[in-house]
Amino acid sequence: MRYLPLTPDDRQAMLAKIGVTHIDELFRDVPADALLDAPVDLPRHATEMEVEAAFKSFAGRNLPAGEAPFFVGAGAYRHHVPATVDYMLQRGEFLTAYTPYQPEISQGTLQALFEFQTQVAQIFGMDVANASMYDGSTAAAEAVLMARRVTRKNKAIISGSLHPQYIEVIRCTTAFTEDVTVVNPPALSGVEELISQIDDDISCVVVQNPDFFGNLHDFTKLAEAVHEKKALLVVVVTEVVSLGAIKSPGEMGADIVVGEGQSLGVGLNFGGPYVGLFATNQKYVRQMPGRLCGETRDADGKRGFVLTLSTREQHIRREKATSNICTNAGLCTLAFSIHMTLLGEAGFRKLAALNHARASELADKLSDIDGVELLNESFFNEFTLRLSKPAAEVVEQLVEQGVIAGLPVSRLYPGNEELDNLLLVAVTETVSENDMYALYYELKEALK
C-alpha cells in the first residue's frame, strides 16, 4: 500500500498551483555547483560496523565547538549546561504520554510549564508568557501577526539591527498574510531613525536588544512614539542571559517580547531544537499565540495546574485561532526552567556579569591589534570588529590553527561589500584565558 496517496496528476496539479512545472524547480536556490549530477559515490552495501566507522571518519573532519576556542554567537550561544539539567529532565514526574489536556495525569508537566512561563515573564518584565514557541524567529513572526490582530493595522517596521534570519522568517510568514513589512538596512552602530517612520498605519515596530551587531539600546522613547500612534513595540531578545545585566524590555515599555531561550539549559545541538519565548501584557493575552498553563484549586481546595488558554486552530474555530502553531517545545522549556531554577536570581545575575566581564576583556585585547577596529560603544557578551581583511578568509585561516574566531557577518549578508570585513565575536563563561589568548595571537598573525 502506498503511504502517500498522491497520483502523478495530483503532483502536477500542485506544481501548477504554485507556478512551477517540475519538482526540480523547488531546489533552484541551491547553487548549481552544489548539486550532484550522479548518485553519491558510496558502496552498494556495507556492514553496520563499516558504516559506523565511515561516518565517524566523516564526523572527525568537523571542528566541534567544545574542542577548540569558540567565539561564535549570532543567536545561538555556547553556555555551560550543568549535568543536573539532564538528570532532572529524565525524572518520571515530568513525563507524560502526550500534551497536557488531562490535568489529572499531567500535573508534573503542567507545573513545569507554569514555572517556565513565570520565569520568562519575570526576566522579560512582562505580565504573562506562553508555554513557548518553536524558536525565537518563529516567535518574532507570530509577534507581527499578533500586532495586526490587536491594532487592526498591517504595516510593520523592522529594524535593520534585527537578526537577518529573523527578518527572513518574518518576511516568509507575512508573505502569506496581508501584512506589509518595511525592513531597514543594516545599522552597524545601532543608530537608526525609526521614530520618523512611525505613522498612523503601522501595527508595530520590531527591534532587537542586544541587537545583531551586539549594540545595547534603551527603547523607552521609541515605545512612547509607537504608543502615540496606537501601535505596538515588539522587542526581540536572542541572548536571554543578557537580561541578568540590562534593563528588561518590559521596563522600556514593550508590548510584546519574544526571544530565543537556547542559552539556558539547551546546548548548541548542531542548530536545534531550540525554544521560542513569547510574552506580552495582560490586556493582550487573548491575542497571544500558543498555549498558556494556569494555576487553580480543585474541588478539595488543593493547588493544581491546568491548560488555561489555547487558541490554536485545533481547539477552536479556525477563523478564531490566533496561530496554527500546534505545540510547544516542552523538553526545552523544562531544561530552561531547571537551569534557571538552579541559577536563581543571584546566579543569573552573576552569570550575566561574568559573560560581560570576559567579553569586555577580550574586546580590549583585540582592539590593540593593528588592523582591528571595535565598532560598538556598548555591548553585553558579543561585539563587532572591522578587520583589515575579509572576515570570512580570516576565520577560515584561524580554523586551520584550531580557533573558531566568530561569525563573518558576510555569511548572513552575502553580496554586501560594506560588511565583508566585519567579524561578530561572542564570549560566554565557557571561554577561558587560554582561549582568549589563542584568538588574540592567531588573529594578530593572520592580519600581518
Side-chain angles (χ1 to χ4, degrees), residues 71-74 188 212-214 362 366 369 371-376 382-396 398-399 403-411 418-426 439 442-443 446-447:
F71 301 92
V72 178
L188 306 185
F212 175 70
F213 299 100
L362 183 60
L366 299 181
I369 300 175
V372 173
E373 178 190 2
L374 176 65
L375 299 186
N376 306 74
E382 192 165 24
F383 50 84
T384 303
L385 301 176
R386 190 192 304 278
L387 308 182
S388 55
K389 295 180 179 179
E393 295 176 14
V394 173
V395 167
E396 291 298 322
L398 266 63
V399 165
V403 177
I404 305 174
L407 180 84
V409 172
S410 60
R411 184 172 177 181
E418 183 188 358
L419 307 180
D420 281 352
N421 288 18
L422 301 187
L423 178 66
L424 199 56
V425 178
L439 176 58
E442 297 297 345
L443 184 58
L447 295 178

Side-chain angles (χ1 to χ4, degrees), residues 83-144:
T84 311
V85 173
D86 276 346
Y87 170 74
M88 292 296 293
L89 278 178
Q90 299 172 61
R91 294 278 300 189
E93 293 90 333
F94 297 119
L95 297 179
T96 181
Y98 193 50
T99 45
Y101 303 138
Q102 298 167 290
E104 63 271 28
I105 61 171
S106 305
Q107 282 300 293
T109 299
L110 288 164
Q111 181 170 1
L113 290 173
F114 180 81
E115 303 293 354
F116 166 81
Q117 294 169 179
T118 305
Q119 292 168 337
V120 172
Q122 287 183 339
I123 61 174
F124 279 172
M126 304 299 287
D127 295 335
V128 59
N130 72 10
S132 77
M133 312 294 285
Y134 290 142
D135 57 23
S137 62
T138 51
E142 289 286 347
V144 173

